Amino acid sequence: MSTHPDARRVLDAAPRQLYVGGAWRDAEGGSTMVVEDPATGETLCEVADASVADGTAALDAAVAAQRDWAATPPNERSEVLHRAFTLMQERSDDLALLMTLEMGKSLAESKGEIAYAAEFFRWFSGEALRIDGYFKQAGNGQSRVLVMKQPVGPCLFITPWNFPAAMGTRKIAPAVAAGCTMVVKPAEQTPLSMLALARLLEDAGLPPSVLNVVPTSSSSELAKPLIADPRLRKLSFTGSTPVGRTLIAQASEQVLKTSMELGGNAPFVVFEDADLDAAVEQAMVAKMRNMGEACTSANRFHVQESVAEEFAARLTEKMKSLTLGHGADEGTDVGPLIDADQRGKVAELVDDAVAKGATALTGGGVRDGAGYFFEPTVLTGVPTDARLLKEEIFGPVAPIATFTTEEEAIAAANDTEYGLVAYLFTRDLSRALRVSEALETGMIGLNQGLVSNAGAPFGGVKQSGLGREGGNEGIAEYLETKYVAVKL
Ligand code: NAP
């Protein structure tokens, strides 16, 4: 258990039951599951473990509430979201500590996530007021075209452990704004942050049954019948590409509307004309945010040969200066990875690269002792057949490969099934735009290592997903278009 003075209080106050139909209740049969502190491997607490019947009860509640919620005035939906935004800021310290305890990231990172997560409430509070349609004369002048937007209906949200709050608000806020009801299934490792969000939305005045939260240790068993249920109208998933593929296949049975925020393999491309100080600083942001456990994490660095050695040396210096520790301890820069499996996967990828000829300039292994720590690592001389250039690392490892020409850089950056985000560093405007056009990704960080922004469309192409979250596009995922042909 963390020695943070508020840890016990925050944990004791955290809701641990299911939130279904506006009531906090135990799971069927009183089942519970363990939540672990990844920095120590110790049990933090137990949380209600929803059964398939609990999942169905949550959908029943969402379906029953859909009609009334869709009819609620936009002003009221907007006000609920704005109150949620304010409450999230007020509760930021406690929400951040709770997140750090169950997920491991440093308190500073958790606070950053809470602030980011709250922005979706603010943004969609505004969007709730801007849902529109149009009315026009048909081309032949004989009739009129009336187009209206309506909420898609009850939604199922499945979220990952790496951003336990933001991956929730990015779906919940637009759904609330659009007038949809929902069932949320958070990741097994991090249910506490989502339950705390449910409490916050309840306090913000969200009516009962609009949001239902069912943590479970049986995610596929719980989700499958919900996805097959014709009353469900939308599935939004954030997680790995393999699970996304499975869910898309399941969703095809009901031709369910889906949004998929899947895996990434972000290239971080540095040209010799880049501001190298900025590139190194932003490389740290793109690589080390969330200990590398981010879909947007820079997975591989492609650096022009003439500046590669300098870039590697400066990045190594910065990585060496980081302090590993319990996320809730003062002075910690880098927390643990989420669990032993994740740490094992990172170690396997690093071992594979080293066996194929890469050199570790710093780090390269797990940290001994309790918790799932992996050393911040920089690898150079990474051969093209190293697995970590192709697979999502999800850890604090920066592999550096070199290129000589712009064409080579573009080809290397695009050589992946993923297409979420790329980072591009150059001071040449023509090159910046040319390469941005050529990169096969949904987002590009141009001379910056962070793209997440509630007011911008987040999402990927290729096998990184379908749809966009945030921005002007975000609410469209929760609206259907209805056309009425009007004979006057
Ligand atoms: P994951 O294994 O795919 O799990 C994500 C969620 O899906 C969890 O809630 C999990 O529940 C649930 N799940 C797993 N198998 C399921 C199934 N068969 N049916 C229904 N639900 C199922 O991913 P993760 O390891 O938690 O998260 C890391 C991945 O998320 C990475 O690939 C990362 O790139 C991606 N990600 C993408 C974005 C984006 O916006 N593109 C953002 C963040 C993360 P359990 O916890 O019970 O297994």
Side-chain angles (χ1 to χ4, degrees):
M1 181 68 188
S2 161
T3 53
H4 191 286
D6 293 325
R8 178 45 58 200
R9 176 185 60 77
V10 162
L11 210 50
D12 287 346
R16 300 177 200 181
Q17 291 175 296
L18 310 184
Y19 185 56
V20 176
W24 292 93
R25 66 161 176 84
D26 290 336
E28 184 187 32
S31 293
T32 58
M33 60 187 192
V34 163
V35 182
E36 207 184 65
D37 178 346
T40 60
E42 292 166 2
T43 296
L44 275 181
C45 65
E46 294 194 6
V47 163
D49 184 359
S51 67
V52 171
D54 291 321
T56 305
L59 182 59
D60 291 345
V63 170
Q66 178 57 57
R67 207 182 153 128
D68 282 352
W69 182 237
T72 304
N75 278 350
E76 286 181 31
R77 303 201 302 266
S78 170
E79 283 156 15
V80 167
L81 288 169
H82 207 273
R83 281 195 295 272
F85 169 67
T86 306
L87 278 179
M88 204 155 181
Q89 288 180 309
E90 285 170 15
R91 296 182 190 177
S92 160
D93 286 351
D94 285 1
L95 289 170
L97 180 55
L98 189 66
M99 185 187 295
T100 288
L101 292 175
E102 67 174 346
M103 192 276 168
K105 67 180 85 177
S106 71
L107 267 181
E109 289 223 48
S110 289
K111 281 184 191 164
E113 180 180 340
I114 295 298
Y116 171 51
E119 286 299 331
F120 289 97
F121 287 140
R122 173 151 66 178
W123 175 261
F124 285 106
S125 157
E127 289 295 274
L129 304 176
R130 288 192 281 270
I131 298 166
D132 56 15
Y134 58 90
F135 183 74
K136 68 176 186 179
Q137 191 178 26
N140 61 10
Q142 300 299 305
S143 63
R144 302 291 181 269
V145 174
L146 170 64
V147 172
M148 63 180 86
K149 301 283 182 181
Q150 295 180 308
V152 291
C155 305
L156 172 62
F157 298 155
I158 302 178
T159 57
W161 48 263
N162 61 345
F163 291 100
M167 298 304 100
T169 60
R170 221 158 69 161
K171 300 181 193 304
I172 294 168
V176 166
C180 297
T181 60
M182 65 212 86
V183 175
V184 183
K185 192 220 78 66
E188 185 181 350
Q189 291 101 327
T190 56
L192 296 170
S193 295
M194 189 64 76
L195 291 169
L197 265 184
R199 166 74 52 82
L200 184 146
L201 281 155
E202 185 183 35
D203 294 345
L206 189 69
S209 301
V210 173
L211 168 73
N212 303 274
V213 181
V214 281
T216 182
S217 61
S218 321
S219 52
S220 63
E221 290 83 347
L222 182 137
K224 211 170 170 183
L226 300 188
I227 295 168
D229 192 316
R231 298 175 302 164
L232 187 75
R233 295 298 162 77
K234 164 99 195 175
L235 167 65
S236 179
F237 169 73
T238 298
S240 62
T241 295
V243 173
R245 283 191 201 107
T246 303
L247 295 177
I248 290 170
Q250 290 175 13
S252 71
E253 288 300 317
Q254 297 290 338
V255 194
L256 195 60
K257 203 174 163 82
T258 60
S259 298
M260 293 279 147
E261 294 290 348
L262 307 179
N265 178 2
F268 190 104
V269 182
V270 182
F271 285 95
E272 60 191 0
D273 59 47
D275 174 342
L276 216 55
D277 287 335
V280 172
E281 190 192 297
Q282 294 300 304
M284 291 298 289
V285 175
K287 179 70 254 180
M288 294 308 292
R289 179 169 178 236
N290 231 36
M291 294 84 74
E293 291 174 317
C295 53
T296 49
S297 183
N299 205 59
R300 53 209 163 95
F301 292 80
H302 298 284
V303 185
Q304 201 153 18
E305 211 156 43
S306 53
V307 292
E309 205 173 312
E310 176 72 18
F311 178 86
R314 292 207 213 167
L315 188 65
T316 301
E317 202 179 309
K318 290 220 182 268
M319 292 285 255
K320 274 184 175 164
S321 71
L322 298 174
T323 305
L324 270 68
H326 195 295
D329 290 350
E330 217 165 295
T332 293
D333 298 308
V334 185
L337 298 180
I338 189 72
D339 57 24
D341 283 355
Q342 185 58 36
R343 186 176 63 171
K345 195 191 136 205
V346 174
E348 198 180 298
L349 290 175
V350 170
D351 291 349
D352 167 77
V354 170
K356 288 173 178 159
T359 305
L361 295 186
T362 185
V366 302
R367 193 191 75 170
D368 293 337
Y372 310 117
F373 292 91
F374 196 92
E375 297 166 343
T377 298
V378 177
L379 298 173
T380 51
V382 180
T384 49
D385 62 341
R387 282 174 51 200
L388 45 51
L389 295 185
K390 294 271 188 293
E391 298 177 31
E392 204 175 15
I393 303 170
F394 244 52
V397 178
I400 301 177
T402 58
F403 67 86
T404 47
T405 66
E406 188 177 304
E407 293 67 34
E408 224 183 281
I410 293 167
N414 288 339
D415 186 19
T416 168
E417 68 192 20
Y418 296 106
L420 188 61
V421 61
Y423 302 95
L424 168 59
F425 283 75
T426 174
R427 279 187 281 207
D428 177 336
L429 180 61
S430 299
R431 167 175 274 159
L433 296 178
R434 204 166 50 234
V435 177
S436 292
E437 284 183 6
L439 289 171
E440 298 168 350
T441 57
M443 301 177 287
I444 291 170
L446 179 54
N447 294 322
Q448 66 176 51
L450 185 69
V451 294
S452 302
N453 179 330
F458 187 104
V461 301
K462 293 159 80 176
Q463 297 199 30
S464 285
L466 303 167
R468 293 293 180 271
E469 293 190 320
N472 301 337
E473 291 78 358
I475 199 158
E477 305 278 322
Y478 297 93
L479 293 169
E480 286 287 12
T481 299
K482 182 181 282 176
Y483 151 54
V484 185
V486 183
K487 183 78 184 157
L488 295 184

